[in-house]
Amino acid sequence: MAKFRLPANSRIRKEGRRFEAPAGAGNVRVFRIYRFDPESGENPRMDTYEVDMDACGPMVLDALIKIKNEIDPTLTFRRSCREGICGSCAMNIDGKNGLACVTAIADVKQEVRIHPLPHLPVIKDLVPDLTDFYAQYASVKPWLQTRSPAPPDGERLQSKDDQEMVDRPSACILCACCSTSCPSYWWNSDRYLGPAALLAAYRWIVDSRDEAAGERLDQLEDPFRLYRCHTIMNCTEACPKDLNPAKAIGELKQMLAHRRH
């Protein structure tokens, strides 16, 4: 399927279709949703859906599923766990990146405006192409690298303090909310690894069981791969798991600075 790089938050001038709520619905919320099908040859548009909240669950994902099942089956989006664990339903909701499954409709005060994650190629509607994002994650070699033989019992143990170093970074679900909220990533995503990949790199560098910290830091010693971060902090604000990629990136910079002196 063809893919087009369209900023998800760009102003879409074409008004799309409107689907009104059933007659007699007394608790109606309006959802304006970005629609784009590259195979149709048409420009992007914003479709409007009126949803009866008395017959809908409380989360944005509940409304999307209701719209697809009962109103417009052509609407396309990703979802899986519905528990804020898989990261599949990451999208831009009311101007902020987040997970549709844990975003309460009640927390959005006006009409609910939904776009795909910003500044990624759009495959269809709310589905961005994450090919490059996953390739950047893979480039930091997010697995344990060792040279010494494994202990006789087959496990490489670490202290509680050492485990706590990797505990929070390991909670990343690769939803891409952080990287796609970062202006540096928007303009340099071909060379800047972005907050998610750098958080993964940090997680393995500080892992007491890993024996490739030097090589990992060498791979980050580059004007773009790491140092395009300007500490804007959008990544930390956008993370639905309350992680702090900006802090991890700052500590990576300090590690490299200390190596030079």
Side-chain angles (χ1 to χ4, degrees), residues 168-243:
R168 292 301 291 147
S170 297
C172 174
I173 58 176
L174 295 177
C175 64
C177 285
C178 64
S179 292
T180 56
S181 71
C182 172
S184 293
Y185 189 77
W186 296 347
W187 312 132
N188 301 284
S189 59
D190 57 333
R191 299 178 66 183
Y192 174 49
L193 289 180
L198 290 172
L199 179 65
Y202 171 82
R203 176 256 179 273
W204 290 104
I205 287 171
V206 300
D207 193 318
S208 62
R209 300 163 298 180
D210 191 85
E211 298 172 351
E215 293 88 334
R216 293 182 189 276
L217 287 171
D218 287 342
Q219 291 177 349
L220 298 179
E221 186 74 81
D222 179 271
F224 277 86
R225 299 194 91 202
L226 171 64
Y227 289 101
R228 280 295 122 178
C229 171
H230 298 299
T231 323
I232 298 171
M233 303 294 289
N234 280 8
C235 56
T236 297
E237 182 178 355
C239 179
K241 306 301 288 186
D242 295 323
L243 305 181

Side-chain angles (χ1 to χ4, degrees), residues 134-147:
Y134 287 131
Q136 289 162 336
Y137 173 68
S139 74
V140 304
K141 299 182 179 178
W143 55 81
L144 190 69
Q145 298 185 66
T146 61
R147 300 181 187 87

Side-chain angles (χ1 to χ4, degrees), residues 4-259:
F4 294 78
R5 185 175 295 276
L6 292 173
N9 287 329
S10 60
R11 182 171 298 175
I12 307 303
R13 299 185 181 279
K14 181 179 179 181
E15 292 298 322
R17 301 167 299 170
R18 186 179 186 93
F19 299 82
E20 297 183 354
N27 183 15
V28 174
R29 289 299 301 269
V30 175
F31 294 78
R32 299 198 69 222
I33 302 177
Y34 178 97
R35 304 299 308 275
F36 177 56
D37 181 359
E39 293 186 345
S40 72
E42 298 180 359
N43 290 330
R45 66 178 189 271
M46 296 295 289
D47 282 357
T48 302
Y49 303 88
E50 295 181 358
V51 176
D52 180 7
M53 295 309 301
D54 289 334
C56 181
M59 300 299 178
V60 170
L61 183 59
D62 293 319
L64 290 172
I65 292 173
K66 182 177 178 66
I67 290 169
K68 184 172 181 66
N69 288 347
E70 303 177 15
I71 301 174
D72 183 4
T74 68
L75 178 63
T76 302
F77 55 92
R78 290 191 181 111
R79 54 102 172 181
S80 184
C81 73
R82 300 185 66 170
E83 298 288 342
I85 297 172
C86 72
S88 297
C89 65
M91 55 191 69
N92 186 279
I93 303 167
D94 198 32
K96 182 179 179 180
N97 292 353
L99 303 179
C101 66
V102 296
T103 301
I105 298 170
D107 291 340
V108 183
K109 302 307 179 183
Q110 304 298 325
E111 64 182 16
V112 185
R113 301 176 64 90
I114 306 175
H115 297 79
L117 292 174
H119 290 264
L120 290 177
V122 176
I123 295 176
K124 187 180 179 186
D125 296 344
L126 303 178
V127 177
D129 183 2
L130 296 172
T131 301
D132 291 342
F133 173 81
Y134 287 131
Q136 289 162 336
Y137 173 68
S139 74
V140 304
K141 299 182 179 178
W143 55 81
L144 190 69
Q145 298 185 66
T146 61
R147 300 181 187 87
S148 60
D153 60 7
E155 296 184 14
R156 298 180 185 271
L157 303 179
Q158 60 183 174
S159 69
K160 185 176 185 297
D161 289 341
D162 287 340
Q163 193 280 326
E164 289 178 352
M165 290 286 291
V166 303
D167 182 60
R168 292 301 291 147
S170 297
C172 174
I173 58 176
L174 295 177
C175 64
C177 285
C178 64
S179 292
T180 56
S181 71
C182 172
S184 293
Y185 189 77
W186 296 347
W187 312 132
N188 301 284
S189 59
D190 57 333
R191 299 178 66 183
Y192 174 49
L193 289 180
L198 290 172
L199 179 65
Y202 171 82
R203 176 256 179 273
W204 290 104
I205 287 171
V206 300
D207 193 318
S208 62
R209 300 163 298 180
D210 191 85
E211 298 172 351
E215 293 88 334
R216 293 182 189 276
L217 287 171
D218 287 342
Q219 291 177 349
L220 298 179
E221 186 74 81
D222 179 271
F224 277 86
R225 299 194 91 202
L226 171 64
Y227 289 101
R228 280 295 122 178
C229 171
H230 298 299
T231 323
I232 298 171
M233 303 294 289
N234 280 8
C235 56
T236 297
E237 182 178 355
C239 179
K241 306 301 288 186
D242 295 323
L243 305 181
N244 195 340
K247 181 180 178 181
I249 293 170
E251 293 191 11
L252 289 173
K253 292 178 180 178
Q254 289 184 11
M255 292 177 194
L256 286 169
H258 290 159
R259 287 207 316 172

